[in-house]
Amino acid sequence: MTSATFTSLLGYMLVCSFTPGPGNILALNTTSTYGYTLTLSDYIMLLPTPEDELNQTAYFSDDFTNVSIDYPIQMESHAHPNVHNSLSFNAVMEDGTDDYYSNIVIAFQPISGYDSYMEQGAATAKPYMVKMLDDFMKGMYGDYLLKSFGSDFRDNGDYYSLTGYMWLDGSVFQNGPSQPVCGCMEVRYYGPTGYALVATTVSLESRIRNYFDICNNMLTTISYNTGWSTAPKARPEQPAYSGDSGDYGTPYYWYDEDGDIWYWNGYENEFISYGSDGYIDSDTGEYMESNDAGWDYEDEYYDDYDPWSDPGDYEDGWGDYFG
């Protein structure tokens, strides 16, 4: 056996018999005349998993540069070019894998018209969180959105959150897959700041839970806190003057000085609603709900939805829509 033959055989035996372990990862990095040169490496980059340590920190762009979030080294981050106040995350090793179609985007998005409803407690806030989520989904994905709904509304004490599930056309990606793409979106309301936090995960059905869990892990590290409380605004005190003309047998609706609506039943005042929720019809004197008050979200929200009931099976979970 020649020296060259023995050296090549030895290299082959080392590769076939080597067992990787912590701090002892084998990498083939150069080629010589007689075969491969073997070196030890501390780390080989793999696809991200929810078990990965969140050992990297990124800061948001534009108006939220003081807000940070942690993420795993297996992902890379950058400001999304088309989304203000955002961060976008992709797997470092996504090329050539199903994870090429996976992405996490977390952004602070402007909102208006919700604050008065969010101050009245969780029961009032819930339908408007569903409406907010629905507006974001349709606004961000348009015709690519095949189906969506919200679930898992939570009162977290210092913010409200709602998670939504989406089915998207594969063409949402350039040169996208032929199969539909799944998405998860969490919306958080932190108080009357003019913004909501929107965290969106998009992936193939086979990988969506992996990235959804990673996104949830990352959100536990976000440094954003406004000091707001979800506790409802106190109900107005019983007004000293009802506007009653003295006829105690004549009931009617009326506004107090804050624009809130009361009902004089002929003997005492009953609180009806905040002014943002309704109005008194000028012709009939009857109380009417505002157009948005009592928004029907029955078809847009499901309590305790479990998309992970049978991952990969189009008869359950995500596949309910396509089965």
Side-chain angles (χ1 to χ4, degrees):
M1 181 181 296
T2 65
S3 174
T5 302
F6 177 77
T7 301
S8 297
L9 178 61
L10 177 61
Y12 173 80
M13 293 169 62
L14 283 170
V15 171
C16 291
S17 63
F18 185 82
T19 301
N24 194 33
I25 298 175
L26 189 66
L28 304 177
N29 63 355
T30 59
T31 303
S32 67
T33 304
Y34 303 109
Y36 293 103
T37 299
L38 307 180
T39 61
L40 291 178
S41 175
D42 290 334
Y43 184 75
I44 290 179
M45 186 68 71
L46 302 173
L47 293 173
T49 72
E51 289 71 38
D52 293 332
E53 180 184 358
L54 305 180
N55 51 14
Q56 307 294 301
T57 301
Y59 287 84
F60 285 81
S61 63
D62 306 304
D63 301 324
F64 289 83
T65 55
N66 62 328
V67 179
S68 67
I69 192 169
D70 296 341
Y71 66 99
I73 196 173
Q74 292 85 354
M75 302 188 77
E76 57 185 2
S77 73
H78 59 273
H80 195 290
N82 300 319
V83 182
H84 208 54
N85 305 317
S86 71
L87 281 171
S88 181
F89 300 88
N90 291 80
V92 174
M93 304 298 291
E94 66 178 17
D95 288 350
T97 73
D98 284 348
D99 288 33
Y100 178 80
Y101 300 107
S102 300
N103 175 248
I104 295 172
V105 176
I106 304 174
F108 292 90
Q109 293 292 286
I111 57 172
S112 62
Y114 290 95
D115 294 343
S116 61
Y117 304 110
M118 300 301 173
E119 296 176 346
Q120 300 178 34
T124 301
K126 182 177 179 179
Y128 291 97
M129 287 294 293
V130 177
K131 187 177 190 307
M132 186 189 304
L133 175 73
D134 188 62
D135 288 346
F136 276 128
M137 286 178 170
K138 291 176 180 177
M140 293 173 68
Y141 292 101
D143 293 339
Y144 295 115
L145 186 65
L146 304 178
K147 180 180 175 64
S148 64
F149 57 82
S151 185
D152 198 22
F153 169 78
R154 294 186 181 184
D155 180 348
N156 300 283
D158 55 355
Y159 66 92
Y160 290 120
S161 65
L162 180 71
T163 300
Y165 301 95
M166 301 180 288
W167 290 257
L168 305 169
D169 189 277
S171 61
V172 70
F173 289 103
Q174 187 176 7
N175 301 319
S178 58
Q179 61 179 289
V181 173
C182 299
C184 300
M185 179 183 289
E186 180 177 336
V187 174
R188 293 184 177 185
Y189 178 86
Y190 284 91
T193 64
Y195 290 91
L197 179 69
V198 182
T200 306
T201 305
V202 174
S203 182
L204 298 182
E205 190 260 356
S206 60
R207 296 293 287 162
I208 186 63
R209 185 170 190 179
N210 181 74
Y211 281 92
F212 177 69
D213 288 344
I214 292 172
C215 182
N216 284 340
N217 291 343
M218 292 166 55
L219 287 173
T220 65
T221 72
I222 195 165
S223 64
Y224 189 65
N225 190 326
T226 65
W228 183 71
S229 172
T230 60
K233 185 180 76 172
R235 173 179 288 197
E237 295 182 2
Q238 177 85 353
Y241 173 66
S242 68
D244 181 63
S245 62
D247 183 356
Y248 284 91
T250 305
Y252 56 90
Y253 294 94
W254 64 282
Y255 295 102
D256 67 14
E257 60 183 8
D258 295 322
D260 299 323
I261 300 173
W262 295 79
Y263 178 65
W264 173 257
N265 63 16
Y267 304 95
E268 62 181 355
N269 287 301
E270 299 175 13
F271 178 74
I272 299 301
S273 77
Y274 297 94
S276 56
D277 286 348
Y279 62 95
I280 301 171
D281 187 278
S282 58
D283 295 324
T284 65
E286 294 297 314
Y287 170 73
M288 306 293 289
E289 287 188 337
S290 296
N291 290 336
D292 288 336
W295 181 68
D296 183 9
Y297 63 97
E298 183 177 349
D299 295 333
E300 310 294 337
Y301 182 86
Y302 298 90
D303 279 314
D304 303 321
Y305 179 73
D306 181 13
W308 327 117
S309 57
D310 194 1
D313 185 350
Y314 279 137
E315 296 302 319
D316 295 291
W318 287 105
D320 286 346
Y321 181 60
F322 300 106

